[in-house]
Amino acid sequence: MSSSPAPVPAPREHVERIRRERYFIGRGEQNPLAEDMHHAVNYLSQELYSKDVHFLMELVQNAEDNEYPSGVAPSLEFLITSKDITGSGASSTLLIFNNERGFLSTNIDSICRIGKSTKKGNRHQGYIGEKGIGFKSVFLISSEPHIFSNGYQIKFNEKPCAECNIGYIVPEWVESTPSLSDIKAIYGCSRVLPTTTIILPLKSEKVDAVKKQLSTMHPEMLLFLSKIRKLSVREDNSDPKSSTVSEISISSEKNYQARKNIHAESYTLHLSAEESGKEEECGYYMWRQKFPVKPENRVDKRSEIDRLSRGNQLSPGVYAFLPTEMVTNFPFIIQADFLLASSREAILFDSPWNKGILECVPSAFMNAFVTLVKSGADAPAMSLPSLFNFLPVNASLIPLLEPVRSGIKNKVLAEDIVPCESYASQKIFCKPSEVARLKPAFWTILGKAREYGMDLKNLSTHGTYIISSHFDKSTYNSVLEFLGVKSVGTEWYAKCIEGSNLVKEVPEQLYLEIIYFVANNWQNCFSATNMASIPLLKYVDRNDVLSFWSISRASQGNDRLCIASDRTYRAWLISWNKEFPSSNRFFLHPNTHAALEGFSQKTTVESWLQNHARVEVVSVYSYGSTVVGSLGNDRRPVIAFAHFLYHSLKMNYKENHYLSQLCRVMPVIDSYGCVVKKRNSIIFPAKGSKWVGLLGGNPWRNDGYIELSSDYKLAGRFAGNYTSEDQLLEFLKTHVGASDVPFIHPPNASFCTVSSPLPVDNAFLLLEWIRNIKSNGVALPDRFLACVKEGCWLKTSVGYKPPNESFLSSANWGSLLQSASSFVDIPMVDQQFYRNELHMYKNELKTIGVRFEFQEASAYIGNRLMTMAASNALTRESVLSLLRLIRFLREKVLSPSELISSVNGGCWMKSTLGYRRPSHCIINDSDWAVASRISSQPFLDVQFYGEAILSYKPELELLGVIAGFKNNYQLVIDNFKFNSASITPEATELILKCIRYVSSCEDFIKKLRVLKWVKTNVGFCAPNVSFLVDPEWECLVKIFKGVPIIDLGFYGSVISSYKQELKKTGLNTQFEEVSKAISQVFKDMVSKSSLTKDNVFSLLGSYRQLRTHRPVPVELFNCMRSEKWLHTSVGFKAPSDTILFDESWQYLSPVASLPFFDDGDSCHGLGKDIHGYKDELKELGVTVEVKFGARFVIAGLSIPEDPSVLSKSTILLLLECIRNYFTSTTASPKGFKEKICKEWLKTSMGYKCPDECILFDAKNSSLCMEDGPFIDETFYGPEIASFKDALVRIGVIVDVTRGEDLIARYLRCQKDSTTISRIYMYLMKRNWKPENSTDNWIWIPNETEGGEWVSSRSCVLHDKNNFFSLQIHILDKYYDRKLLDFFSLRFGVRHGPCSEDYCKLWATWENSGQMLAMADCFAFWKFIATNWTKKTEELLSGCVKVPVWTNGKIILANKENVFIPDDLLLADLFNNLPQQSLFIWYPSSSLPSMSRARLNSIYNSIGVQRISKAVTKNDSFALANGCFRIVESSMVIKVGLLHIIFAYLADPALDIPTEERHRIVSCLLNVTVQVTDEPITVSYSVSLSTGEVVDVKASRMLRWERENSKLYMQSSHGEFCYKEKIEFATYFAEEISQGLLFEMADQIPSLAELIKVGSLLDFQDTAVEFLLKSKNLLLFPEDEDFLKSSMQGVP
């Protein structure tokens, strides 16, 4: 702590004096400012800090600002204990120990006040605190803080002292608990107790927060503290295991380096932390730099500071000696003398001082960063990249710090700072925009190339500097992105690979890595670059010379590079490749092949070469495929290729299936010597072949059947491989399919030799050929087979016939058929002609169509007959012959089935309806008599065939002709014809049998449904409208007349056995169906409104009779319930929407339109008899009781316009209906809210809508009935309270505690002040909030007129100075103090008048012309000064007059005639004027807000001029002849004076050239000094708004007329007194400085100050020399030489 002045009072005496003098304790009176002081401290402690733990920062700050004895390591210790040593009942207590010098009386005075820090103005001494309220923050965690220091043992209490009503800052002496011995026992008896101990009994709710903050205190807190070297935290617990200790210490500075050229210094600082026996240490690189403070950045709080510091390290944060809570996200710490917010959480960003600091941070960072990166010339290149982690890569979490980050970024981007790759000893640094990155894979390639001895010094000669390989790593991606370092252009890689000769000089393995690198980046990087044009691919040409192709060369044209897929046949392919120049293929170098075999990325490289360089990876097969596609018309390569295939198979280089594919596409040489590329088959040469004898030539040449050239039989040598004679032909026979008959596979084509008879041998050769083809599983081509089948080459019994028309019999059926069938000839094969050997070729003969079986012959006969029938050649005799043949075959025990099958599908049998199939004809007999009445049948035409045909009845039946009815109901259905005259009972029964016995007759039934074939009591009707009646439910069909019922007299009882069939046709036979039908009739009549009274009663009667019937007529009953068939007072309604009226409904009639039954005698009336069916109607849904009719009331609700007609009974019954309705549902019906929302409920304020009513409850409310729209219980009676649930449903507020909004809505209807106050109190308790607080919510009582409602904006709670009773409504005059907070909180009523009110008041005072009382004027300007803002300035700038003190009174004078006395010399001159007061009034006050400096600023901002600016100076004076005498200039212009001037002008900061300095001083060397006895004066004048000019004069003592080079001086008489000396020195310094530096006015005061001191020293040489050194000024040699030369001869 700072030292205190002597004499020093005893500690206890000092404390008692504070209590007595400052807080009036023991004086019997109260300090008038006591309440304000208490509230001020409470506000500061509670509001300035947003977290509980800032007291730690304040205590650390106080410890740093303390003074410490020499030889002591400053330390601060925190100890938390569970012992209650203060006796306050605290569960935990925090003790703070500090080994400082101790509290002095001035420190005690400071903490007993607000804003009275002893450290203010002492920043240059290293103090970092400034708030003056820091210690008060401990009240956030402790109610009774204690201080023990230097004999002081005091405590403070947050509760107001009972004797002075002030809390927080009133000290109280600690008598006994705790004592020093208690403290020492906690601290440790063996240790020396530090000078100062602060004891904080913790509030119970703050214990956990304090422990948490203490346990997380960071070691970096000590980084920027200049004094504290040790900080510890420990816990004294009853359980030692739960104690934790954390200790932090700072070691000495290391590697200190001064940077004089930039006023900076750097050093390394070490922090070590020990916790739980484990010690850790970390070093921090620190950079400290000075910057000049710009004028616009100066502030009063830092007027004594001209520097800032900052440090950077790897953890983020902003420090003002201690850490703030600003997390910057920067990898360095910014430390400077920032101005902080009161909470210490953050710096003040709007402070000019802080802005100036932040503007300098980028420069400081850049200086430090450049020094770090470039200072170590011998540092290895790999160590540099890690330093770039100091750059602020990530955006700040605090947006206002982004300019710092962007400033650093801009400076780094402009600096040659990024290390480049260099293979020389010289390090190269470039700007970030000039360097580029490489892909990691390419760095690997370059590294390996360097290892192989490649020269890579030209790496940066390809158009771009390359960043250091140590820097170009993914670890630094974010840093490089921040710097904007891009990847090298894709064109660079091609330049590097080609320019560095990498492809030609590197080993094969590295060459493949280069290829892989290009391949891996081709798609995204290189496909559109010059990479495609550089020689990248190595291959061997046909002369075995290593050559190079680019990607584009390799991928264009027909030439291709190849890679052998297997090394076993690599040489084989290269050898054979010379035989096929047309293939345009070249193979990669064998060494490349070998390296590629073991390359890890072989698949990727090969894939890329294939896709983009079109390199082919070939096998023997794929190579052969390429070659075969390139073969032209040259015979040798074609023959050579056949040999290539033969030898490849022989060497086992090809698998059979691949060989077969090549053989299929291989061109061949035909018998004419032509190259044939397309073929279907190859046949042997004609010489010695069998096919010539059978075919007579090659009929299929055009079908691709090629006769081979004889060259294939010869021996040959190709690619060093020999083939002997016939070896190749055997290969072709096996693998190409060359063949001869009977092994040729014929095409789908015919040959002509089978169209005429074949010799026996050729016939057998043909059958053998067919056998071979079939044995190979190959289908015979259609055309080939057809020509064999259809050619007339086979000899039969009737001549040469086609095989498909011939028969070969193996039994005696042939002769039988020949003899029995006189009308058909059968061609039988001549077996004797074919040497009886044809049976050996039975399958082949079947294949070509020859038939062998009896059935086939029978079918042949039948088919011939059908052919005859088709041409109308089948006569009556032919039919009879057919019948006789069938009978003959049966007699011979031969099956006629095939014969019958071949004829029964034709329409050749004549019937009464025309020609039909036999199966569609009927032999007519008596069984068909009834069926013929209702159907038209195809009876066999006996008249055409004669009666003889009936003798063949068995044969006819075999053919399918129907004989007898045999339940052929389907025929009846198929041939059904309707004629009502033909409908007999028997016919009807037959129809029903058809339905019964035919399973699928839907179309027949569908037809019957619409035909009128059912006999009923009203004639023939369709089934779907007819009924088969049961006596049990006969009443149903009697409800309505004209219902068709089946005529049982016509049908008899048999009809009842066909109920199911009748039902299928749509006849109504079941009870349910009848019910549905009657229901439909009912619906139709309802839709036409044609129901009669009789119908209604019949329906109700049937309902009464059938409601117990089983089953119930559900359909009808449902219709009766749902259809609108009952006539009511509001039209036709369904039963559920109808009411049977009685007397209980009459009270609801005024409020609802209800659907009552029409029981009158009108046209639709049912009369009173309807009441006899009350039970039935009730079951059908008719409402017969009021208690069940709530929904009708709700739905038909109709509140009358005049609510006075509604009786109490009506309203109560309506509420009961509402309650009943909502018992079963929660949702309101549509439109209910609109209907109910009318003014019909009677309240204390008239009739209101339900949602504007409240149910009064006197027991639970302080309100009275007249205070709001309460329901009138006098009218409704107490029963109304029993309907709360119904009232809630319609919007009534039934809980008065929830009616604040409604009460408030009617508040302004009140005029009684007592009532209004009562309502205000109710609203306050209910915590009510208005929607618009600026409405007229405030009632201001008026003694004459009752009062008025006004806006909150025209009101204030208090008027402390009683200024505004005429302008503003002061609420504490009218209302209880409890309501004032309510007015402020809910209506926004101001606590007191605002600046605008005060400014308006001042305007009123201006216009009044009266003098102001001292107290009023003081109170006014106190308020203005305390609440000064920009807005206040704007408001008060419009004032015309300001206060002036004159003759013991305050008057208001025009502000243009009043001045601020900022120049005391001028003020003295003008104050001496009689009867004239020109200067503004100042109050006598010690308040900071009322200081003169602050008031001067306020006065000046509202337009009051400063006297120094307003005054006009007149320097002119008259010269009289003989009044002056000349003296030696050296007596005045002394050498010491010139030394001062030259040294000042030579200051490097001014940067004045030598010649200019000499020119400036020359005008002083040439001056003539003249002395006069007359006084030299200067006059000053100010002009007033009235036009008056006020003049004063002052002695000046000298004057320099520069233009005339003359210095006039007033002579002195004797020695100067001290006053005259300082006056002369001052005037002399000003005159000389102004004359020399008139072009540099801002430098005049500094030079004048030096000259003034020199003048007082009489410019003595040694004194001047010391003076210049103390100001760091120096006289340059050239200036000394100039003085010597200029003053030569001067005494």
Side-chain angles (χ1 to χ4, degrees), residues 815-874:
S815 58
L816 288 175
L817 281 180
Q818 290 282 17
S819 60
S821 177
S822 59
F823 53 89
V824 176
D825 290 327
I826 302 174
M828 304 298 291
V829 176
D830 189 350
Q831 299 190 54
Q832 187 176 0
F833 177 76
Y834 291 107
R835 302 192 293 264
N836 292 320
E837 295 179 1
L838 285 177
H839 65 274
M840 299 170 58
Y841 296 96
K842 184 177 182 179
N843 290 332
E844 288 70 32
L845 289 170
K846 285 184 177 180
T847 300
I848 60 177
V850 177
R851 287 169 281 189
F852 292 82
E853 301 300 330
F854 167 73
Q855 289 82 2
E856 292 175 318
S858 299
Y860 176 78
I861 296 171
N863 291 335
R864 291 298 302 274
L865 286 173
M866 291 301 98
T867 303
M868 294 168 64
S871 59
N872 296 322
L874 193 64

Side-chain angles (χ1 to χ4, degrees), residues 906-1123:
C907 296
W908 53 270
M909 184 166 282
K910 193 170 187 308
S911 74
T912 56
L913 297 179
Y915 284 97
R916 294 282 191 274
R917 293 179 181 179
S919 59
H920 291 177
C921 294
I922 304 170
I923 299 175
N924 194 0
D925 57 17
S926 59
D927 290 351
W928 288 91
V930 177
S932 62
R933 295 177 63 86
I934 58 174
S935 63
S936 298
Q937 301 295 340
F939 295 114
L940 184 67
D941 192 348
V942 177
Q943 186 176 357
F944 175 74
Y945 290 113
E947 293 292 333
I949 197 169
L950 296 177
S951 64
Y952 291 98
K953 187 174 182 180
E955 288 72 24
L956 288 172
E957 288 188 73
L958 286 175
L959 287 171
V961 178
I962 300 171
F965 185 72
K966 298 178 182 178
N967 296 329
N968 264 300
Y969 299 111
Q970 184 66 52
L971 284 177
V972 176
I973 292 174
D974 291 343
N975 299 288
F976 178 73
K977 64 179 181 179
F978 175 71
N979 183 356
S980 59
S982 301
I983 300 299
T984 63
E986 293 79 10
T988 301
E989 186 177 2
L990 178 59
I991 290 173
L992 295 175
K993 284 182 178 180
C994 288
I995 296 172
R996 174 176 291 179
Y997 296 116
V998 177
S999 58
S1000 178
C1001 56
E1002 285 78 10
D1003 292 339
F1004 179 59
I1005 294 173
K1006 186 177 181 181
K1007 188 185 297 183
L1008 291 175
R1009 284 175 181 167
V1010 297
L1011 297 176
K1012 295 181 178 181
W1013 61 276
V1014 177
K1015 182 72 168 60
T1016 71
N1017 60 336
V1018 293
F1020 283 97
C1021 295
N1024 59 348
V1025 297
S1026 304
F1027 298 90
L1028 188 61
V1029 177
D1030 190 309
E1032 290 186 8
W1033 41 268
E1034 189 175 2
C1035 61
L1036 276 180
V1037 296
K1038 291 184 178 180
I1039 296 175
F1040 305 106
K1041 294 180 179 180
V1043 177
I1045 302 171
I1046 282 185
D1047 189 351
L1048 296 178
F1050 177 75
Y1051 291 113
S1053 60
V1054 69
I1055 194 69
S1056 299
S1057 63
Y1058 291 98
K1059 277 188 179 182
Q1060 293 301 320
E1061 289 72 25
L1062 290 169
K1063 183 178 179 181
K1064 289 181 179 180
T1065 63
L1067 190 80
N1068 299 292
T1069 62
Q1070 299 297 321
F1071 177 72
E1072 293 82 359
E1073 296 170 350
V1074 174
S1075 173
K1076 290 180 181 178
I1078 297 300
S1079 299
Q1080 188 58 49
V1081 175
F1082 172 66
K1083 288 180 183 179
D1084 293 341
M1085 297 189 73
V1086 170
S1087 65
K1088 299 174 183 177
S1089 300
S1090 58
L1091 278 180
T1092 65
K1093 179 178 179 180
D1094 291 338
N1095 293 145
V1096 172
F1097 281 109
S1098 294
L1099 281 167
L1100 292 174
S1102 295
Y1103 180 84
R1104 177 178 291 173
Q1105 179 181 344
L1106 297 175
R1107 62 182 176 179
T1108 59
H1109 183 270
R1110 293 295 178 270
V1112 175
V1114 176
E1115 188 74 18
L1116 178 62
F1117 285 5
N1118 287 342
C1119 288
M1120 292 177 69
R1121 290 186 176 91
S1122 60
E1123 293 295 326

